[in-house]
Amino acid sequence: MKQSYMPESDSEDELPPGWVEQATDDGLVCYANRQTKVTQWTHPRTGRTKRITGELPIGWEKSTEPDTKRTVFFNKETNQSTYVDPRLAFAVEEAPLDVTKVRQRFDASSTALQVLHGKDLNGRLAVITGANCGIGYETARSLILHGCEVIFACRNVTATQEAIEKILVERPTARSRCRVAELDLGCFKSVRNFVTHIKETVQHIDYLILNAGLFGLPYSLTADGVETTFQVSHLSNFYLTNELEKLFDHKSRIVVLSSESHRMANLPADKLAEQHLSPPPEKYWSMMAYNNAKLCNVLFAQELANRWKARGISVFSVHPGNMISTKIQRNWWFYRLLFALARPFTKSLQQGAATTIYCATANELTGLTGYYFNNCYFCEPSTSSKKATLRLKLWELSEQMVQKILQNPLNKYEEKI
């Protein structure tokens, strides 16, 4: 069949004038131009293929007209007949076998709202950590404006309520789609309470966006005795995600915010130990702690993708942008100055949220998992992040550290209260 491609449009999945789509007996979607009589297997705008699966919707049946031999579909409830397969409304794009074959539709200048243009996310649920400010807030806002329900998983409930009120000024009807669930990633007791609450109130999570993180923090330990940057940026996310496993299925996507800084980490590829992840004061440097935590994010996303691939769950790690002005630089005056000087040359918060939104919602990523994205497109991660031994050792150590915290007598006592 001859292929033809049309220019992009604001609603790229919409067929150009004169085109219709049809379904074949084996479930492939075929496109036909009534004017030129051209037929093709690929969408005339996007160049991608689609397939329909499953049985006919309830109330529909299929038959063949005796005279024309054409397939006709009949709705027993409405007494209507049509030549159009009703399953076409639920056709999905076939996933590319190679992420490098995914066509780039957005770039560094794209915003989250541009990525979501034309999407209806009603009925979808997102859980976003650190959603009350910065990139997390723009991520939540963008999803809510397109019909998604969002659970704001944040430590400061008051600040979160204020953030939600700002969204409601813009979209007053969205109140029922905004929920707050208290979560302090620096405290396993809080993480356990959060997990329990989510399991009791939620049946399915469409998007888990692990957005919260720390940067430039002076040396400190959490209430659980772990270096703070590592626990907040990785260990608590590791524990939280695994505890919520039953709420994910083939429709779910998990997006872990990392950074290009993961390329400058110094975690050893061999003989990784707990002291490298949660170092003592004399071995601590805030910038390296951040770099290492961001490498852990990529490693975690890749290993989680491997373990849950058979279930069809997609996991991605992303770089939102360089030195975007959020509250992440608040811990030291020098970083605040540096970020302020760089602000005119960096992405806006809406642009910073774009790659996260893309990985969570883009149809063309269906079936893909374990990849690292930058500027809404696949990007090769660091050499260290590709080492299977490092990835597996991090997982093993993370499990051991989680168990050590949970077995702490104080934690056991608090759990009974």
Side-chain angles (χ1 to χ4, degrees):
M1 291 186 178
K2 182 180 178 182
Q3 290 187 345
S4 68
Y5 294 89
M6 304 294 290
E8 298 286 352
S9 73
D10 288 339
S11 183
E12 66 162 20
D13 199 46
E14 181 181 347
L15 287 171
W19 286 86
V20 295
E21 58 182 2
Q22 305 164 341
T24 63
D25 291 337
D26 58 358
L28 280 175
V29 176
C30 174
Y31 301 91
N33 189 316
R34 290 173 173 172
Q35 298 172 350
T36 64
K37 307 303 181 182
V38 170
T39 58
Q40 59 190 56
W41 295 115
T42 55
H43 192 288
R45 286 197 190 276
T46 67
R48 294 190 292 272
T49 57
K50 282 187 176 182
R51 179 180 289 276
I52 57 173
T53 57
E55 301 296 327
L56 288 169
I58 296 175
W60 286 88
E61 59 183 25
K62 181 172 68 171
S63 61
T64 303
E65 288 183 334
D67 298 333
T68 64
K69 304 301 181 184
R70 293 183 65 181
T71 301
V72 62
F73 300 89
F74 179 72
N75 189 320
K76 293 181 290 186
E77 296 180 0
T78 63
N79 291 321
Q80 293 178 319
S81 60
T82 176
Y83 293 118
V84 179
D85 191 323
R87 292 174 297 174
L88 282 171
F90 309 102
V92 296
E93 292 178 356
E94 292 196 292
L97 299 177
D98 184 350
V99 70
T100 61
K101 304 300 182 184
V102 173
R103 183 171 60 92
Q104 184 170 6
R105 297 192 289 133
F106 305 101
D107 54 28
S109 62
S110 301
T111 66
L113 288 173
Q114 287 173 336
V115 172
L116 286 173
H117 182 77
K119 283 190 176 293
D120 181 3
L121 300 180
N122 276 286
R124 305 293 180 87
L125 173 69
V127 176
I128 308 176
T129 65
N132 60 357
C133 63
I135 294 171
Y137 171 78
E138 286 300 330
T139 302
R141 170 178 168 264
S142 300
L143 291 173
I144 289 168
L145 292 179
H146 281 262
C148 187
E149 180 182 353
V150 173
I151 295 178
F152 290 68
C154 305
R155 180 172 55 89
N156 189 328
V157 174
T158 300
T160 305
Q161 293 286 7
E162 293 172 353
I164 290 174
E165 289 303 318
K166 289 196 301 181
I167 296 174
L168 296 179
V169 170
E170 187 175 2
R171 187 64 55 83
T173 58
R175 185 173 296 277
S176 64
R177 300 200 300 271
C178 304
R179 293 172 51 188
V180 181
E182 185 175 1
L183 173 64
D184 181 356
L185 293 170
C187 174
F188 260 42
K189 179 185 177 182
S190 175
V191 179
R192 286 200 310 274
N193 291 339
F194 171 81
V195 166
T196 299
H197 171 72
I198 296 299
K199 287 181 176 179
E200 290 175 348
T201 59
V202 170
Q203 294 183 331
H204 177 263
I205 297 174
D206 293 282
Y207 316 122
L208 174 63
I209 299 174
L210 301 174
N211 167 83
L214 290 174
F215 173 79
L217 191 71
Y219 183 82
S220 64
L221 297 178
T222 66
D224 304 306
V226 178
E227 191 279 310
T228 305
T229 299
F230 172 71
Q231 177 166 332
V232 171
S233 299
H234 167 71
L235 193 62
S236 288
N237 288 326
F238 174 88
Y239 174 52
L240 179 154
T241 305
N242 280 286
E243 285 295 302
L244 295 177
E245 177 180 0
K246 292 183 179 180
L247 298 182
F248 305 119
D249 64 11
H250 65 283
K251 300 177 183 177
S252 303
R253 294 192 187 181
I254 299 170
V255 182
V256 187
L257 266 72
S258 181
S259 168
E260 281 289 276
S261 296
H262 84 277
R263 301 182 189 280
M264 294 173 280
N266 67 355
L267 295 179
D270 300 314
K271 298 182 180 179
L272 180 69
E274 183 176 327
Q275 65 185 24
H276 299 119
L277 302 172
S278 178
E282 63 273 15
K283 298 287 186 178
Y284 180 81
W285 177 33
S286 63
M287 180 61 76
M288 192 55 66
Y290 177 77
N291 296 345
N292 288 343
K294 295 296 103 178
L295 175 57
C296 288
N297 293 151
V298 179
L299 293 167
F300 167 57
Q302 291 178 339
E303 183 57 25
L304 187 67
N306 286 340
R307 290 170 183 253
W308 289 1
K309 185 175 183 179
R311 295 177 54 198
I313 300 170
S314 292
V315 186
F316 304 107
S317 55
V318 304
H319 170 58
N322 295 316
M323 300 182 69
I324 299 176
S325 185
T326 65
K327 292 184 178 180
I328 197 170
Q329 71 273 19
R330 64 187 179 275
N331 294 305
W332 189 25
W333 69 265
F334 176 74
Y335 291 137
R336 293 196 297 271
L337 174 62
L338 192 62
F339 274 65
L341 294 173
R343 187 170 186 176
F345 312 101
T346 60
K347 291 182 179 181
S348 67
L349 293 175
Q350 257 290 306
Q351 291 170 328
T355 304
T356 298
I357 291 290
Y358 176 74
C359 286
T361 65
N363 291 336
E364 60 265 34
L365 300 186
T366 300
L368 297 175
T369 189
Y371 294 105
Y372 174 70
F373 281 77
N374 183 8
N375 294 329
C376 297
Y377 194 64
F378 165 72
C379 178
E380 288 286 350
S382 67
T383 302
S384 295
S385 70
K386 298 178 182 179
K387 296 183 181 298
T389 53
L390 181 58
R391 192 173 67 229
L392 291 170
K393 189 61 178 178
L394 173 64
W395 190 280
E396 177 187 337
L397 288 172
S398 297
E399 285 184 326
Q400 293 173 1
M401 295 174 76
V402 166
Q403 288 305 311
K404 185 187 300 183
I405 293 172
L406 295 179
Q407 291 169 4
N408 184 293
L410 178 61
N411 282 327
K412 289 184 177 180
Y413 172 74
E414 290 179 335
E415 205 167 22
K416 296 176 182 178
I417 294 178

